[in-house]
Amino acid sequence: MTGLLLAKAHFPVTALGPGVRAGIWTQGCTLHCHGCLSRDTWDADPAKEVPVEAVLGWLASLPEPLHGVTISGGEPFQQPTALLALVRGIRAWRDGRPRETMPLDILVYSGYVYSRLSRSAESREILEACDAVIAGPYVDRLNPAGGHTGRGSLLWRGSANQRVVPLSPLGAERYGPAAGNDTQEAGPRMQVSVDEGPEGRRVYYIGIPRRGDMEHLSETLDRAGVRAGDVSWRP
Ligand code: SF4
């Protein structure tokens, strides 16, 4: 049994890759990018460990349509053994799905640049099982401004330095256009989910806001009398 430190799993996800997707966020990241909006995923908390098989079981229970799986973090590549077991497990399950179902792609995010990932044999094995990777650290100043003034946004990427790299024919078909574009009007950038957990109700924002969007949202909530409490995008 391989254990994965898991921050969250959610379905449906529509803001991180094409179509209707399952989202898996790993727990633990030592990269600490300035302006990271997911600081709650930094701590490699062993209490968050779940068997990879349980994540695969959850995926298999999801309804159609399911066009893809997005793995983000945290930093997924800081758990290489579990990540490899996960992506290989997804591949095996995908290959066993009925032929008439929509092909399912695997997209993985990483804060490491692609050249570094492709130098490591361990990371290459993981990438070989994926259809696309969006690679590179989040650089706040390279994220288009949002709030009142924002116009453009980056499709599926947090900042312009990040590279969309297709890794398979299916990846080329679905991610090839995004790989060549810098700034464009994107599809849905953000979605909201409300989960009831042992610590009470938590609101999750899924997707990639533009620079300043979360501050703008906090101010709007404050004005409406809603206190955001602890948030993942501030120290
Ligand atoms: S943006 Fe991603 S890679 Fe960077 S610190 Fe946050 S979780 Fe880690």
Side-chain angles (χ1 to χ4, degrees):
M1 187 190 79
T2 309
L4 173 75
L5 298 187
L6 179 73
K8 182 176 163 64
H10 184 79
F11 172 85
V13 170
T14 52
L16 294 172
V20 179
R21 312 180 66 81
I24 296 167
W25 287 263
T26 60
Q27 182 71 33
C29 178
T30 59
L31 298 182
H32 295 191
C33 308
H34 173 73
C36 169
L37 301 176
S38 308
R39 300 171 67 98
D40 56 326
T41 64
W42 285 4
D43 180 22
D45 179 1
K48 300 264 178 145
E49 184 171 307
V50 298
V52 166
E53 293 75 10
V55 181
L56 295 171
W58 170 74
L59 283 173
S61 74
L62 296 177
E64 294 293 332
L66 180 62
H67 303 116
V69 179
T70 297
I71 303 168
S72 186
E75 174 47 54
F77 284 82
Q78 288 182 356
Q79 299 185 61
T81 306
L83 182 59
L84 183 61
L86 178 65
V87 293
R88 284 190 171 162
I90 298 171
R91 285 292 286 249
W93 164 62
R94 164 172 99 175
D95 293 347
R97 283 171 25 116
R99 281 181 178 277
E100 61 274 11
T101 52
M102 180 77 76
L104 181 148
D105 74 81
I106 306 171
L107 168 66
V108 64
Y109 279 81
S110 176
Y112 294 113
V113 294
Y114 181 68
S115 56
R116 174 168 173 169
L117 291 175
S118 52
R119 273 200 303 275
S120 143
E122 202 171 42
S123 299
R124 277 201 309 274
E125 263 192 296
I126 294 165
L127 293 173
E128 274 164 22
C130 299
D131 296 290
V133 61
I134 298 184
Y138 173 68
V139 179
D140 204 37
R141 68 188 158 75
L142 299 179
N143 181 3
H148 295 298
T149 54
R151 289 191 181 267
S153 63
L154 299 164
L155 184 59
W156 304 323
R157 293 178 296 157
S159 53
N161 59 301
Q162 294 173 329
R163 265 184 77 191
V164 181
V165 185
L167 300 166
S168 71
L170 180 61
E173 186 185 307
R174 293 192 180 172
Y175 296 89
N181 274 335
D182 255 4
T183 302
Q184 57 179 290
E185 282 302 322
R189 285 194 312 274
M190 295 287 289
Q191 63 181 106
V192 176
S193 85
V194 182
D195 286 5
E196 208 72 59
E199 295 150 14
R201 188 172 290 174
R202 296 186 77 180
V203 178
Y204 290 92
Y205 297 94
I206 296 171
I208 302 180
R210 294 165 302 186
R211 182 160 36 91
D213 274 348
M214 299 314 285
E215 298 306 332
H216 179 56
L217 175 67
S218 295
E219 285 162 21
T220 307
L221 289 172
D222 272 354
R223 277 200 298 277
V226 179
R227 293 206 47 237
D230 291 337
V231 297
S232 65
W233 59 87
R234 278 198 296 258

